[in-house]
Amino acid sequence: MAGMAQEEGSSSVTSSPLQFFPWMPLSPGTGSPYPWLRELKSEDRGLCLIHLLLACANHVAAGSIENANIGLEQISHLASPDGDTMQRIAAYFTAGLADRILKGWPGLHKALNPKQASLISEEILVQRLFFELFTFLKLSYVITNQAIIEAMEGEKMVHIIDLNSFEPAQWINLLQTLSARPEGPPHLRITGIHEQKEVLDQMALRLTEEAEKLDIPFQFNPIVSKLENLDLENLRVKTGEALAVSSVLQLHTLLAMDDEMHRRNSPSGYQNPNSNHFQRLKINQNRRTLGDWLEKDVVSPDSALSPLSLAASPKMGSFLNALRSLSPKLMVITEQESSHNGFNLMERVTEALIFYAALFDCLESTVSRASLERHKVEKMLFGEEIKNIIACEGTDRKERHEKLEKWILRLELSGFGIVPLSYHGRLQANRFLQSYGYDGYKIKEENGCLVICWQDRPLFSVSAWRFRRYD
């Protein structure tokens, strides 16, 4: 089975991850073959789940279905989508690993996963819930808007291209700020891009109402399209307009097209450059807490260095070159600060564990476990992203998040120069956090960009760019 072929360089670990818990002997019993698993304290259970998940992922990568199946069964006695942080994470990671195994039998996989028309209302709801339950996008919007305000000072005609136009709150805030401009508001045109017409209709309605209330000359230009299919001719940039581009959690989706081209043209490019990755993930036995284990110096995959070479990204390169040809005065990009675009499954699993553990921990600290909204976000958004990262390859794998250092190199190669985000922008974001009492969120400066963290874990980056002609 092609889907379960052993990854080059992956470790075929055959010993059970339960070896890490030698003080807990296996004993038969009714129901669960490992009754002591249910008696573990939360901390030990979390560590046990991490070991089990990594071992199971390693078996999946190695094509060892029997051992992977044993691992999935062991995890099932501990994981729960309604439990604590690690139990919830484990439930969605095992679903992703199981889905990857099932793809080895395409007929069985299709029978168990029939294609269903996704409800647009549900997709919109879960995106809105992410905006409401977390502060990451709110901070991104504050920082982005401040950068646009500063760049557009004195401009009479402003055109903003929104590559992921779904949340009117961002531009309502911008309209309100522009209305207070000493020289008066500019003529503002927003081109909104989204796959769903209903989302754009709602955006147009809300923004037009706000602009009329504030007496700002305004036009909304909707474009129904996926980003990869976008025809830049439809953006209709006019002479005399000062152009800004806003991309929130969108650019990484283009990397799937480049990955597929690379796969077809250079199969050898998919040889895993790392050897015995699982062995390098062995855990210091003195670290006993989930938080200790997830510290970055313990797990440091090499995926930041192993994905597609920046020079071999024709789709991304052509898209960025097309944007550059529009001569934007400013482009602001928000992306996930994690490496989920590696060739190697183990790298993606370990990076995803770190990233989503922080997101789940954030919800655990701020939202009740019984919350239906929390469950929807975890299952319909994070669960689907985790499954995509683990189970999918080629153009099907859309969640190809990369870290800021990669985006900086890629954008500089495409002719953009970084615009350091101002102290005032960071001040605005910190004031926003303080005024609403959002504890746990932090903002750090990195190479002139801002990184939004939960506690000390960087999760999202915001960077500003300018076509070098403006430098």
Side-chain angles (χ1 to χ4, degrees), residues 7 26 53 64 137 311:
E7 285 194 9
L26 297 179
L53 281 170
S64 177
L137 288 187

Side-chain angles (χ1 to χ4, degrees), residues 17-26 36 285:
L18 299 176
Q19 66 181 307
F20 291 106
F21 298 87
W23 63 91
M24 296 177 179
L26 297 179
W36 56 265
Q285 294 300 299

Side-chain angles (χ1 to χ4, degrees), residues 23-38:
W23 63 91
M24 296 177 179
L26 297 179
S27 57
T30 21
S32 165
Y34 315 113
W36 56 265
L37 286 174
R38 296 188 180 277

Side-chain angles (χ1 to χ4, degrees), residues 144 147-148 245-248 330-334 421 462-465:
T144 298
I148 291 173
V245 179
S246 170
S247 174
V248 178
L330 187 73
M331 178 164 68
V332 188
I333 298 171
T334 300
L421 291 164
V462 186
S463 58
W465 301 86

Side-chain angles (χ1 to χ4, degrees), residues 168-179 185 188 190 202-219:
Q170 176 180 11
W171 305 125
I172 287 174
N173 174 264
L174 183 73
L175 284 165
Q176 292 168 347
T177 306
L178 289 173
S179 70
L188 178 63
I190 294 179
Q202 186 65 23
M203 287 284 291
L205 179 65
R206 291 283 308 279
L207 296 181
T208 301
E209 285 177 351
E210 188 68 22
E212 287 175 354
K213 187 167 70 177
L214 298 169
D215 197 25
I216 294 177
F218 175 75
Q219 181 185 356

Side-chain angles (χ1 to χ4, degrees), residues 223-235:
I223 297 179
V224 180
S225 174
K226 290 184 177 181
L227 195 59
E228 66 224 45
N229 300 326
L230 179 64
D231 182 356
L232 268 66
E233 293 292 324
N234 294 332
L235 298 178

Side-chain angles (χ1 to χ4, degrees), residues 284-303:
N284 183 341
Q285 294 300 299
N286 294 324
R287 294 180 185 255
R288 294 297 311 280
T289 70
L290 178 62
D292 286 342
W293 189 86
L294 289 174
E295 284 300 318
K296 194 154 189 164
D297 61 340
V298 180
V299 181
S300 52
D302 302 321
S303 54

